[in-house]
C-alpha cells in the first residue's frame, strides 16, 4: 500500500514538473515571438513537443514559424526543408484536432509554400489543397481572419493565371476551382 502511494506521489510530481516546464517553454516561445526572434521561438516550441508530442498550440506554431522562416531562406533547398517541416507539423496538428481552424490554416499555408517551389501536377494539387484547408478552417470558425486572408490571396493568385496556364492546367490536370478578383477583394475585406 505504501509502495502504491509512493509511486503515485512520484508520478504526480513528474507530471507537475512537466507541466511547469511546458508552461515556462511556452512563455519563453511567446516572448521570442514578440521580440521577432522566430528561430528561437521555433526551437522553444520544438522543446515543448519533446515533452508533449501532441501539444496542439506548439504543433501549430512550429508549422507557422517553419513556413515563415523557410520563406526568408536564400537557399531553395533550405526553404524546401522548412516547408516540408511546416507540412509535417500541420499534419500532426490535424491528427490531434482536425476541427481546429488554426491547424487547417497552417496546413493551407504550408501547402501554399510548397506550391511556390513545386511545378506541374504537384503544384496544381497544392493549389487545390490550399483552398480545401482554408475552406475547412472557415467551416470550423467562420471568423478566422487567417482563413479569409488565405482565400483572398488564393483567389487573387489563381485569377491572375494567364490563359495559357489555365488551359494547360485544365487540359493536363482537370483545372482548379474557379477564382475571381471580386472574391479576392471580398475575402480580404
Amino acid at each position: 500500500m505504501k509502495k502504491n502511494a509512493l509511486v503515485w506521489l512520484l508520478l504526480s510530481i513528474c507530471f507537475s514538473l512537466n507541466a511547469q516546464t511546458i508552461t515556462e517553454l511556452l512563455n519563453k516561445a511567446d516572448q521570442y515571438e514578440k521580440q521577432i526572434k522566430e528561430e528561437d521561438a521555433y526551437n522553444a516550441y520544438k522543446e515543448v513537443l519533446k515533452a508533449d508530442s501532441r501539444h496542439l498550440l506548439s504543433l501549430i506554431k512550429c508549422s507557422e514559424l517553419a513556413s515563415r522562416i523557410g520563406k526568408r531562406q536564400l537557399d531553395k533547398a533550405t526553404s524546401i526543408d522548412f516547408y516540408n517541416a511546416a507540412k509535417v507539423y500541420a499534419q500532426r496538428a490535424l491528427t490531434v484536432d482536425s476541427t481546429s481552424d488554426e491547424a487547417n490554416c497552417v496546413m493551407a499555408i504550408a501547402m501554399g509554400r510548397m506550391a511556390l517551389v513545386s511545378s506541374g501536377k504537384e503544384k496544381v494539387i497544392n493549389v487545390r489543397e490550399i483552398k480545401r484547408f482554408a475552406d475547412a478552417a472557415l467551416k470550423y470558425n467562420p471568423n478566422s481572419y487567417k482563413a479569409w486572408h488565405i482565400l483572398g490571396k488564393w483567389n487573387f493568385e489563381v485569377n491572375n493565371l494567364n490563359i495559357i496556364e489555365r488551359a494547360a492546367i485544365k487540359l493536363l490536370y482537370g483545372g482548379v476551382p474557379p477564382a475571381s478578383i471580386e472574391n479576392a477583394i471580398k475575402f480580404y475585406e
Side-chain angles (χ1 to χ4, degrees), residues 40-111:
D40 292 332
Y42 179 60
N43 289 326
Y45 285 118
K46 289 194 313 187
E47 287 298 316
V48 172
L49 293 174
K50 286 179 184 176
D52 179 2
S53 64
R54 296 179 54 82
H55 192 271
L56 184 60
L57 174 65
S58 296
L59 290 166
I60 289 167
K61 288 294 196 171
C62 279
S63 179
E64 185 177 0
L65 288 165
S67 288
R68 290 198 319 234
I69 294 167
K71 190 169 192 307
R72 290 193 309 268
Q73 301 303 305
L74 300 176
D75 178 54
K76 184 177 179 180
T78 305
S79 289
I80 291 171
D81 288 344
F82 275 104
Y83 297 159
N84 283 325
K87 184 177 175 184
V88 168
Y89 286 120
Q91 287 170 330
R92 287 175 54 195
L94 287 168
T95 300
V96 171
D97 184 0
S98 63
T99 65
S100 165
D101 62 303
E102 289 287 328
N104 279 284
C105 280
V106 294
M107 180 57 93
I109 292 167
M111 299 308 290

Side-chain angles (χ1 to χ4, degrees), residues 95-155:
T95 300
V96 171
D97 184 0
S98 63
T99 65
S100 165
D101 62 303
E102 289 287 328
N104 279 284
C105 280
V106 294
M107 180 57 93
I109 292 167
M111 299 308 290
R113 297 292 189 231
M114 295 300 291
L116 293 173
V117 295
S118 56
S119 60
K121 188 173 186 174
E122 186 179 338
K123 184 173 193 153
V124 173
I125 290 168
N126 289 335
V127 168
R128 286 183 186 150
E129 292 295 286
I130 295 166
K131 182 164 180 2
R132 182 171 76 90
F133 285 107
D135 286 342
L138 289 172
K139 174 183 172 187
Y140 301 118
N141 179 4
N143 297 317
S144 171
Y145 70 91
K146 287 181 185 178
W148 286 115
H149 181 84
I150 291 165
L151 283 178
K153 175 106 172 122
W154 184 89
N155 270 272

